[in-house]
Amino acid sequence: MKTLPAFCVVLLVLWSVSEAKFDDFEDEEDIVEYDDNDFAEFEDVTEDPAPESPQRVVTTEDDEDEATVELEGQSENQEGDFEDADAPEGDTENEPYDDEEFEGYEDKPDTTSSKNKDPITIVDVPAHLQNSWESYYLEILMVTGLLAYIMNYIIGKNKNSRLAQAWFNTHRELLESNFTLVGDDGTNKEATSTGKLNQENEHIYNLWCSGRVCCEGMLIQLRFLKRQDLLNVLARMMRPVSDQVQIKVTMNDEDMDTYVFAVGTRKALVRLQKEMQDLSEFCSDKPKSGAKYGLPDSLAILSEMGEVTEGMMDAKMVHFLTHYADKIESVHFSDQFSGPKIMQEEGQPLKLPETKRTLLFTFNVPGLGNTYPKDMEALLPLMNMVIYSIDKARKFRLNREGKQKADKNRARVEENFLKLTHVQRQEAAQSRREEKKRAEKERIMNEEDPEKQRRLEEAALRREQKKLEKKQMKMKQIKVKAM
Amino acid sequence: MSTNSMSDPRRPNKVLRYKPPPSESNPALDDPTPDYMNLLGMIFSMCGLMLKLKWCAWVAVYCSFISFANSRSSEDTKQMMSSFMLSISAVVMSYLQNPQPMTPPW
């Protein structure tokens, strides 16, 4: 592609040279007319073509160097011409005309040469004809950017992987002493511990542990920052965020009493109260300060009842919370946990969402993004807190008053829900009844035997009559009772 | 069933298998970045091919890389590879049709 323009230039040069040779004889007359007729006999035919051809070649778009060489050559030739013209003519019989005659002669070649010089414009070679890499600087920039992105992907992925492995190595012993099954991805036929983390993403790692008293299982999710995405890395430079460890313990129904309780940073609790179904329904008050129990100011409490808070905030729990307050984002115990509020488009769902007795913990890894594998050791005491909480949740039971209150709360929530969906449930029941009637009618129509048809119709009529009678009886009874 | 704090809390008979959470609504809710980037990448590469704009094709390559970096492991690799190939072909076609270097818009 780049040789094509060079080839064109060479062709042009050859063509112009050949043209120049033919043009000599055409333009000779023009030049003769241009000059005075007196000097026509002094015109040297052979000398003129020499300066002319370089001029013509120069007017094409060639390199500057070629042009300047030609100009110099041309000017040299012209000077030679002048000298040659002057010397012989000075010696001939035209002496009295020397000055006047040759003034014009000197000027005219000058004007012709200057006029021929004007059209010679030095044009810049366009970018696509240049053979340099510098003109492609934007492309080189793009490719460099891509390479930087790929490098960051590899480095980020490796760092996240190392952090995950460091966390697991630190916690492995504690987990294996508490759970039979440590690590399961659900694909094996037998329930054997895989003994390693389940990688969901380049920045999310899961671990499922099961086989312990009181709990069904524990799902640990290591949610690291997206170190493999350069855009995310740049965004984090503006706004630092921490890696998080989320732990979800599913409790057995008989091992946990009915209460909803949360403790954590104020910001986290406000967000949870808005998002989580159970916290918004059962803990309607704003997060309260935990200073009464000896907690630092950074932590707040959301609770269904005061009794629950009293029961939960025992000495050891307070000790855990105070010492590791900077790493705790939120701790949430609930028997009515169903996840975040579901935004449905068709209105309210017809059934209450399924609930599970759950303990949820969210911890922040120290370092605010600049984490090193050795920082994972700082999270080990928090895992101890989790194990302690599991045992505590099993031991803690509400007293009679508390239980009554809790039951009342749950009944209230259910009633509210039923009220909201009453209209929809009625409509659903109505449509179901109509469906049944239609199906029966179709069956009657499809019966080929006219006898059977008649019998089915009669049966349907009788059923409807009975229903009407029942309704009438009920109305009568209500009227009597009212009276 | 009373358990001593000294005894082993492990119960092999109570092992439950891991059940991946239902993935119908969750992936889209958690993080829509890979899906958006995939779509953007395809749009830009089509623009680059149809309108012969080099910068569109380069942006498409970047979008498909970002989508790949943010993708979930459950996602289809075929989708990822197809958008990647489309963006690369957009860049190559733009340069074959017009080998001039890209001019900055300023």
Side-chain angles (χ1 to χ4, degrees):
Chain A
M1 291 300 243
K2 286 172 194 168
T3 54
L4 192 60
F7 185 62
C8 289
V9 166
V10 168
L11 272 176
L12 261 168
V13 169
L14 287 170
W15 172 81
S16 56
V17 166
S18 57
E19 282 287 289
K21 284 196 179 147
F22 288 110
D23 280 347
D24 289 344
F25 300 101
E26 289 171 15
D27 288 346
E28 188 191 14
E29 289 169 337
D30 292 338
I31 287 170
V32 164
E33 284 167 359
Y34 191 67
D35 289 342
D36 267 353
N37 287 328
D38 290 341
F39 304 108
E41 53 192 308
F42 300 108
E43 278 290 332
D44 200 357
V45 177
T46 53
E47 284 179 8
D48 282 334
E52 275 173 75
S53 51
Q55 287 170 14
R56 284 222 190 84
V57 170
V58 156
T59 50
T60 59
E61 290 175 350
D62 278 344
D63 289 340
E64 290 176 63
D65 296 339
E66 221 180 291
T68 49
V69 166
E70 293 293 344
L71 277 171
E72 284 167 25
Q74 181 195 4
S75 55
E76 279 173 5
N77 283 341
Q78 283 184 338
E79 281 169 34
D81 283 342
F82 299 158
E83 284 170 31
D84 288 343
D86 279 344
E89 271 146 0
D91 295 333
T92 59
E93 66 266 19
N94 292 324
E95 273 183 31
Y97 294 96
D98 277 354
D99 295 328
E100 289 169 27
E101 283 174 17
F102 294 122
E103 271 172 25
Y105 184 74
E106 281 171 16
D107 286 340
K108 277 163 195 172
D110 279 345
T111 51
T112 52
S113 67
S114 64
K115 276 189 184 167
N116 284 333
K117 266 185 196 164
D118 289 334
I120 299 167
T121 50
I122 297 154
V123 180
D124 279 330
V125 179
H128 66 277
L129 293 175
Q130 287 177 13
N131 279 349
S132 66
W133 288 109
E134 291 166 1
S135 53
Y136 287 90
Y137 69 97
L138 269 175
E139 279 77 9
I140 292 169
L141 210 69
M142 288 289 194
V143 171
T144 320
L146 272 176
L147 283 172
Y149 193 90
I150 294 170
M151 289 297 295
N152 179 72
Y153 175 80
I154 295 170
I155 293 171
K157 189 169 87 124
N158 283 339
K159 175 136 194 208
N160 277 348
S161 170
R162 270 184 296 132
L163 285 174
Q165 207 49 49
W167 180 93
F168 188 54
N169 290 338
T170 324
H171 290 74
R172 185 198 286 264
E173 218 181 292
L174 179 63
L175 290 171
E176 280 179 351
S177 66
N178 271 292
F179 292 92
T180 322
L181 178 72
V182 174
D184 183 21
D185 55 3
T187 54
N188 295 340
K189 270 194 187 165
E190 289 173 16
T192 44
S193 298
T194 57
K196 53 183 175 162
L197 296 161
N198 200 4
Q199 187 175 4
E200 193 181 297
N201 233 333
E202 304 299 344
H203 63 283
I204 298 181
Y205 291 81
N206 288 338
L207 183 72
W208 171 254
C209 306
S210 184
R212 194 187 191 273
V213 289
C214 38
C215 65
E216 284 181 6
M218 176 165 81
L219 178 67
I220 304 172
Q221 200 174 60
L222 303 173
R223 299 185 78 96
F224 292 127
L225 303 167
K226 285 188 184 174
R227 292 188 176 83
Q228 77 275 11
D229 181 18
L230 188 61
L231 283 184
N232 210 290
V233 168
L234 295 171
R236 267 189 297 116
M237 287 187 188
M238 309 290 152
R239 197 169 56 104
V241 189
S242 285
D243 300 299
Q244 278 189 344
V245 177
Q246 286 182 355
I247 302 174
K248 182 169 162 181
V249 182
T250 339
M251 302 289 283
N252 291 326
D253 285 344
E254 64 270 15
D255 286 321
M256 184 172 159
D257 214 345
T258 55
Y259 50 87
V260 177
F261 171 77
V263 66
T265 59
R266 206 166 277 272
K267 208 168 148 191
L269 285 185
V270 165
R271 186 176 45 89
L272 281 176
Q273 197 174 27
K274 260 190 278 183
E275 281 176 15
M276 292 293 167
Q277 180 90 8
D278 54 346
L279 282 176
S280 62
E281 281 173 359
F282 292 95
C283 306
S284 44
D285 301 331
K286 276 198 212 163
K288 285 186 217 148
S289 162
K292 195 166 71 163
Y293 303 96
L295 294 177
D297 288 331
S298 57
L299 296 177
I301 300 176
L302 262 181
S303 174
E304 191 184 350
M305 293 175 263
E307 191 200 331
V308 175
T309 323
E310 293 282 334
M312 279 292 138
M313 291 289 121
D314 63 347
K316 200 158 179 195
M317 193 62 119
V318 170
H319 171 263
F320 272 125
L321 290 171
T322 12
H323 272 80
Y324 308 108
D326 55 333
K327 298 183 192 77
I328 295 173
E329 168 96 358
S330 71
V331 173
H332 178 191
F333 302 162
S334 170
D335 74 309
Q336 296 281 316
F337 180 73
S338 59
K341 283 189 194 171
I342 311 166
M343 298 296 160
Q344 281 220 358
E345 288 152 3
E346 314 114 21
Q348 297 284 328
L350 289 174
K351 268 199 302 180
L352 267 174
E354 264 185 49
T355 58
K356 203 102 183 72
R357 288 167 204 252
T358 326
L359 310 178
L360 293 140
F361 302 83
T362 309
F363 300 131
N364 290 329
V365 176
L368 207 69
N370 292 330
T371 336
Y372 295 96
K374 62 181 188 309
D375 292 333
M376 293 301 172
E377 291 168 5
L379 295 173
L380 194 58
L382 291 169
M383 190 54 76
N384 281 323
M385 179 174 116
V386 170
I387 304 289
Y388 175 74
S389 305
I390 296 175
D391 291 327
K392 180 155 183 74
R394 187 169 68 98
K395 283 186 224 150
F396 177 68
R397 299 284 155 175
L398 295 164
N399 60 13
R400 209 155 57 112
E401 275 177 35
K403 194 88 180 89
Q404 276 178 356
K405 249 197 203 171
D407 290 338
K408 242 201 293 184
N409 280 338
R410 276 143 191 76
R412 171 182 51 88
V413 167
E414 206 178 319
E415 212 184 298
N416 286 340
F417 180 78
L418 288 174
K419 271 193 206 164
L420 280 169
T421 59
H422 185 246
V423 173
Q424 269 141 330
R425 275 184 303 117
Q426 254 192 345
E427 281 177 12
Q430 181 81 0
S431 62
R432 254 181 284 138
R433 260 181 272 143
E434 279 178 11
E435 267 290 324
K436 258 197 217 165
K437 270 193 191 162
R438 219 185 325 130
E440 232 190 275
K441 276 194 183 149
E442 260 190 64
R443 221 173 1 114
I444 293 169
M445 299 295 278
N446 288 340
E447 276 293 333
E448 288 178 5
D449 197 358
E451 273 289 321
K452 272 195 186 167
Q453 238 188 20
R454 229 187 306 132
R455 251 183 279 153
L456 282 166
E457 272 185 39
E458 280 174 11
L461 262 169
R462 256 180 277 142
R463 253 180 269 139
E464 273 192 55
Q465 271 184 343
K466 271 190 191 167
K467 272 191 196 165
L468 270 167
E469 278 177 24
K470 267 192 191 169
K471 266 193 188 172
Q472 281 174 353
M473 288 295 287
K474 272 191 186 167
M475 293 299 283
K476 276 188 188 168
Q477 278 179 357
I478 290 168
K479 275 187 188 167
V480 166
K481 276 188 185 168
M483 282 201 289
Chain B
M1 191 172 64
S2 60
T3 46
N4 204 334
S5 59
M6 300 297 285
S7 69
D8 194 4
R10 291 181 284 181
R11 296 286 176 271
N13 55 332
K14 286 194 171 176
V15 164
L16 259 172
R17 296 303 303 277
Y18 172 60
K19 257 175 281 178
S23 53
E24 304 116 24
S25 58
N26 282 343
L29 282 175
D30 286 342
D31 184 21
T33 309
D35 301 320
Y36 279 152
M37 281 295 148
N38 216 1
L39 186 67
L40 262 181
M42 290 213 209
I43 291 172
F44 273 117
S45 53
M46 291 315 286
C47 280
L49 273 172
M50 305 290 183
L51 307 174
K52 297 187 189 157
L53 297 168
K54 294 198 176 77
W55 62 268
C56 273
W58 281 109
V59 170
V61 175
Y62 271 95
C63 283
S64 69
F65 264 94
I66 294 170
S67 170
F68 172 73
N70 284 301
S71 67
R72 297 171 275 272
S73 65
S74 57
E75 261 188 50
D76 209 1
T77 48
K78 277 186 279 192
Q79 173 89 337
M80 217 53 65
M81 289 308 289
S82 77
S83 87
F84 186 64
M85 288 294 141
L86 185 65
S87 56
I88 296 277
S89 70
V91 170
V92 169
M93 288 308 292
S94 308
Y95 279 94
L96 278 178
Q97 286 165 356
N98 188 5
Q100 279 188 33
M102 205 161 51
T103 50
W106 53 86

